Structures are given as structure tokens and as C-alpha cells.
Amino acid sequence: MARRGGLRRIGAFELINTLLMLAVCFLTLYPMWFVLVNSLNSPAQASLGTVNWFPQELSLASYSVAFNDRTLMNGFYITTLRTVIGTVVHVLFTAIIAYGMSKSSLMGRKLYLKISLITMLFSGGLIPSFILMTKLGLYDSFWVFIIPSMYTFFNMVIFMSFFRTIPDSLEESAKVDGASDYGVLFRIVLPNSMAVIATIALFSAVYHWNDYYQGVIYIHSQELLPLQTMLYKIIAENSMSFMQQQAMAQFGARLPGNSIKFASMMVATLPILIFYPFIQRYLVKGVMIGAIKG
């Protein structure tokens, strides 16, 4: 009887746990589903603000306006270019620093690590950062997206921890054959570190794609605004007049702002949602790599 009671308690616990997980999944996925359904709804249905599980009147009018908007597509181009260049530069620069930091023979290594740790925990604040970017000539420049994010201490620690797992015999053999430190890094270390490279590249790409804050603070020209910054302004400032004028010219009717907002949100979100599942497995390995001590 005691055994049966224990089995019943375990079964009830598993049931409650499953229901809680399903509830969390629903709360996580429903907002995206709501946006998708309303973006595919006809403008008239989307303007009602009703909750529908499926589109009541299927229409691609909002997507047509979004894709025909040159400003929005230019933001998509800027975001894509920023993500590609920023990810490559970040991975390369961080790997070079981490390779040097992984060597215990590096003079002043502990001091460098302490200084880097301070930069991760504390920052100068918005006003000093804005003044610095202005003095460096990065204000209203595409490179303001790339240069400040070339290095992060957290990702450097992940790289450094992984580099320590590579046998020293490989590097010693390469140096015996006459390879320099850069030769060892690019010919021996990095080719054997594809897992950690994919992990850091994922972290960096997701950051660059989703970041809107730098565009709000440091970019004034409309031509340099990333897609996420445009989406932020569309939602926060309700600046839909130009796109609605395009809708009037194309469809002979004024599309509601909500309809175009939903379509713009999906255009900004779908690429990273499609890309993410293919490399999601590297996230777990990256966390495990970062947990290695020593």
C-alpha cells in the first residue's frame, strides 16, 4: 500500500510538472503567435484588436507594404551587414586576446584579467559613453555598431577556457616546424575550436540582430538606422504615416497602424527564429565550456 501511494504521489508530481511546463510554453509562444495571426489577418480584422487563434480573413497586404517600404528594407540591410561584420570581427578579435590570456607565461596576465573584469561589472554610464563615441568620430557612423562590441570579457573567458583544453604538444610541434604564435593560432588552435567559435558567433549574432539601443543613441541619419531601431520607433512613437501613405497609394485604402506594426515585427523576428534552431545545440556546449575552471 505504501508503494502504491508513493507511485501515485510520483504520478501526481509528474502531471503537475508537465502542466506547469505546458503553461510556461504557452505563455512564451502565444505572444508571437498573436503577432503572426494579426499580421496575416486583413487590415479590417487586425484593427479590431480581437483575439483569434487563426486568421479570420487571410491577407498579405501588410507584408506587401512592409517589403515595399525602402526605409524598412534599408534597415534590414544595415542589420544584416552589421550582424555579419560584427560577428566576424568579434570572434576574431576576442579569440586573439583569449589565446594570449590562456598562456600563464604572459607577463601581467593577472592584471589584464582584473582590468577586463572591472569593465564587465562597471561602466562609465551613458553620457561618458556618448562623449567618447563623439570624440572618436563614431557618432552617426556605421562603425559605432562594430568597434565598441569587438571585445567582451565574458566571451573571452569562454574562449580562454576552451583553448586551455587543447594539448600543448600540438602547439609545440607547430613551433618546432617554425610556426609563429599567429601561425599556431590560425593553423592549429582555431581549426580545433570550431565548437566554441560557433558558440561565440551565435552569442554575437543574436546580440547584433536584436540590439536597437545603439541606433537610438548614436545614429541620427535615417539611412544608418538598423531594423530593430526602426521597429522600436514604430512601436514607441507610432510613426506609421509614411508607410500608411504607401498603403493608400498601393491599395487605395488606409491600412491601420496595428496591421503594419505586426507585419514589421514579424519581418524583424523571423530571420533569427529560423536561424536559431540550427545552432541551438551549441548553446549548451558553450555554457559547459564557460564552466571549466583553472
Side-chain angles (χ1 to χ4, degrees):
M1 295 296 292
R3 185 177 180 181
R4 290 182 180 179
L7 291 175
R8 289 176 181 176
R9 285 194 294 271
I10 293 175
F13 174 77
E14 291 178 348
L15 177 61
I16 295 174
N17 188 39
T18 301
L19 293 176
L20 288 175
M21 291 178 62
L22 290 175
V24 171
C25 290
F26 174 78
L27 293 175
T28 303
L29 296 176
Y30 177 73
M32 182 60 64
W33 181 253
F34 175 82
V35 173
L36 176 62
V37 168
N38 280 278
S39 68
L40 293 174
N41 251 330
S42 65
Q45 284 290 330
S47 63
L48 297 178
T50 57
V51 178
N52 300 309
W53 291 105
F54 299 98
Q56 299 300 306
E57 297 178 9
L58 186 64
S59 174
L60 298 177
S62 300
Y63 284 97
S64 179
V65 173
F67 281 109
N68 287 325
D69 180 33
R70 293 182 179 179
T71 305
L72 195 67
M73 289 298 100
N74 182 73
F76 188 89
Y77 169 75
I78 292 294
T79 301
T80 304
L81 190 65
R82 169 192 178 178
T83 302
V84 173
I85 297 178
T87 300
V88 172
V89 171
H90 176 78
V91 170
L92 181 61
F93 189 77
T94 306
I96 293 174
I97 296 178
Y99 178 67
M101 291 292 187
S102 66
K103 305 302 177 184
S104 57
S105 59
L106 178 66
M107 185 179 298
R109 174 176 169 274
K110 292 184 178 180
L111 176 62
Y112 299 149
L113 288 174
K114 290 179 181 179
I115 293 175
S116 297
L117 179 61
I118 292 173
T119 63
M120 185 180 74
L121 299 176
F122 305 99
S123 66
L126 177 59
I127 295 178
S129 299
F130 183 84
I131 295 174
L132 177 62
M133 296 302 153
T134 304
K135 295 296 183 181
L136 292 176
L138 296 178
Y139 178 75
D140 205 22
S141 169
F142 174 79
W143 296 106
V144 76
F145 301 130
I146 308 300
I147 294 179
S149 60
M150 288 176 62
Y151 168 82
T152 59
F153 178 75
F154 178 79
N155 290 343
M156 191 275 291
V157 170
I158 296 178
F159 260 125
M160 183 176 65
S161 300
F162 187 88
F163 289 162
R164 288 178 178 175
T165 64
I166 298 177
D168 295 334
S169 57
L170 291 177
E171 300 182 27
E172 292 172 358
S173 299
K175 289 185 177 180
V176 169
D177 292 337
S180 63
D181 290 330
Y182 282 102
V184 172
L185 174 63
F186 288 104
R187 296 182 182 180
I188 304 297
V189 177
L190 292 184
N192 289 282
S193 307
M194 297 310 297
V196 71
I197 289 175
T199 302
I200 301 303
L202 174 63
F203 291 159
S204 180
V206 170
Y207 161 74
H208 280 289
W209 185 269
N210 290 331
D211 177 64
Y212 72 94
Y213 186 71
Q214 286 187 311
V216 173
I217 302 300
Y218 302 121
I219 298 299
H220 177 72
S221 302
Q222 190 74 14
E223 295 78 11
L224 292 175
L225 286 178
L227 182 62
Q228 303 296 346
T229 303
M230 291 184 177
L231 182 60
Y232 165 79
K233 291 188 174 182
I234 287 174
I235 296 175
E237 302 175 7
N238 199 25
S239 55
M240 304 298 301
S241 58
F242 179 72
M243 297 178 72
Q244 287 177 338
Q245 290 175 8
Q246 284 191 325
M248 292 181 65
Q250 185 173 355
F251 299 102
R254 185 178 180 87
L255 266 69
N258 286 339
S259 180
I260 304 178
K261 285 181 183 180
F262 292 138
S264 302
M265 291 171 67
M266 292 307 302
V267 170
T269 307
L270 275 180
I272 199 67
L273 288 180
I274 295 173
F275 174 73
Y276 187 82
F278 293 100
I279 52 179
Q280 180 186 7
R281 62 184 183 274
Y282 291 114
L283 280 174
V284 177
K285 190 165 188 177
V287 172
M288 296 300 295
I289 292 170
I292 296 176
K293 303 299 180 182

